[in-house]
Amino acid sequence: MKTMKLAVLAGGVGAARFLRGLSGVTDPQSLTAIVNTADDFLHFGLHISPDIDTVCYTLAGIVDEARGWGVGGDGTACLEMLSRLGEETWFQLGDRDLALHLTRTRRLGEGAPLSAVTEEIRSALGVPVAILPVTDDPVATEIETPEGTLPFQEYFVRRACRDKVLGVSFRGAEQARPAPGVREALASAAGIVISPSNPVVSIAPILAVPGLLDAIAESGAPVVAISPIIGGRTVKGPAANMLRDLGHEASALGVARLYEKLATTFVLDTVDAPLAPAIESLGMRVLVCDTLMADAERARRLATAVVGLIRP
Ligand code: GDP
Ligand code: CA
């Protein structure tokens, strides 16, 4: 098993599956996930951090495998009672999941920063990978649509991504500072990986935190980006539609263009092999391999290939 420090920029499901693969083929204690927080929102007064939760549940081995988020086999008693009470139930809140939101919210209310609370949760769930919110400061994704500007979860969950996306912004990002440990993790990394996460709403808000792009550039480490788009489609979620709506190509090449200045190597799926020359001509090394993490073994194989790019 290889031990070298890796920093992984992470959204939710795509990132979590990749991180689980990576933690199977490298020393998990040498991994740091730097996770998007711009999906975070308040619901019933609870602070929910969807991407941190997905990464935690997956690495703790308790995720709902079919959905890729939430706790496997979780109960719905709370949601059912909320429904009887006439409350909103568009956001799925499993019973066990709720316990985590209660804990996070209580600790934040006591004045603990999100990074400290996340560390407590990580440790309690027995996750061996360091999980850092990119920032402790509030940042919120807003989606501009023909119906007006929607908070991210309104667009994503309540309206099921059906609106045309006219623009995306990250409120608060300009004032945000990297959370403790983020700069250090990037500076000491032998390699930095951009997960196969949504480039528009998972990776972009991480990079929007002032200092992140500089920290990545200054690290001098190879930066490997993995395409979340396979054969012009997302595995899950609105990334392809969002790219198209915003005037990008919904393909591995379109994603590569977004990471052109940042990534040194781009990983794309075998089905997209014909795009490799165009991506190479952007000035990146290219690896073509199976990138669909349909099961844990395939995620490990992708992770092995990525590790090989960093220390051949
Ligand atoms: P979210 O916050 O849960 O939506 O998660 P992410 O932003 O991390 O992940 C969404 C993106 O991950 C989508 O664009 C998917 O296409 C991509 N994704 C999910 N599973 C896989 C996979 O197995 N392989 C690749 N290459 N991309 C994936
Ligand atoms: Ca997310």
Side-chain angles (χ1 to χ4, degrees):
M1 194 165 279
K2 300 191 175 188
T3 53
M4 61 176 175
K5 286 190 178 179
L6 297 177
V8 180
L9 309 189
V13 175
R17 290 187 169 156
F18 176 71
L19 281 160
R20 186 167 56 180
L22 202 52
S23 67
V25 300
T26 63
D27 174 6
Q29 301 204 22
S30 64
L31 303 177
T32 302
I34 298 173
V35 186
N36 173 42
T37 55
D39 294 11
D40 290 24
F41 73 123
L42 280 179
H43 196 50
F44 292 108
L46 301 175
H47 183 115
I48 302 180
S49 296
D51 287 352
I52 290 175
D53 294 343
T54 297
V55 168
C56 280
Y57 293 149
T58 304
L59 292 175
I62 59 172
V63 76
D64 183 315
E65 293 289 343
R67 292 186 310 192
W69 51 269
V71 177
D74 206 352
T76 54
C78 175
L79 212 60
E80 284 159 26
M81 193 63 180
L82 283 172
S83 173
R84 268 186 79 177
L85 294 169
E87 295 289 334
E88 291 182 346
T89 53
W90 56 270
F91 192 83
Q92 295 282 316
L93 285 171
D95 297 338
R96 290 179 176 81
D97 191 29
L98 199 56
L100 188 148
H101 307 320
L102 288 169
T103 301
R104 173 185 291 122
T105 305
R106 177 181 65 79
R107 291 290 292 128
L108 291 171
E110 289 169 359
L114 182 62
S115 54
V117 178
T118 303
E119 171 56 21
E120 291 164 10
I121 292 168
R122 177 204 69 77
S123 167
L125 294 179
V127 172
V129 172
I131 299 174
L132 302 178
V134 61
T135 178
D136 281 333
D137 301 318
V139 176
T141 296
E142 294 179 336
I143 310 289
E144 208 186 306
T145 76
E147 304 299 312
T149 301
L150 304 175
F152 181 69
Q153 299 299 341
E154 290 273 326
Y155 160 81
F156 191 69
V157 180
R158 191 174 206 168
R159 298 173 62 83
C161 309
R162 66 172 170 264
D163 301 278
K164 186 173 164 65
V165 175
L166 304 175
V168 174
S169 56
F170 310 118
R171 191 159 43 84
E174 281 167 25
Q175 292 80 42
R177 294 148 300 170
V182 168
R183 279 204 192 85
E184 294 79 357
L186 292 168
S188 66
I192 297 169
V193 183
I194 303 177
S195 297
S197 286
N198 186 319
V200 180
V201 291
S202 292
I203 301 299
I206 296 176
L207 300 175
V209 173
L212 259 281
L213 283 170
D214 286 345
I216 293 170
E218 284 161 17
S219 82
V223 178
V224 179
I226 306 161
S227 179
I229 303 289
I230 301 177
R233 301 154 71 136
T234 51
V235 178
K236 194 175 165 293
N241 287 341
M242 287 187 132
L243 286 168
R244 249 189 308 270
D245 286 355
L246 294 170
H248 305 291
E249 203 176 294
S251 71
L253 176 59
V255 177
R257 288 196 183 113
L258 296 177
Y259 296 147
E260 186 182 343
K261 293 206 173 68
L262 186 64
T264 52
T265 304
F266 194 81
V267 180
L268 68 162
D269 197 86
T270 315
V271 303
D272 293 314
L275 298 173
I279 295 173
E280 272 168 348
S281 70
L282 297 173
M284 286 179 268
R285 270 177 77 188
V286 163
L287 174 72
V288 178
C289 66
D290 177 18
T291 67
L292 185 64
M293 299 175 284
D295 56 46
E297 177 50 32
R298 283 170 79 177
R300 273 198 296 276
R301 255 184 271 150
L302 174 61
T304 302
V306 169
V307 169
L309 290 167
I310 291 161
R311 196 175 62 183

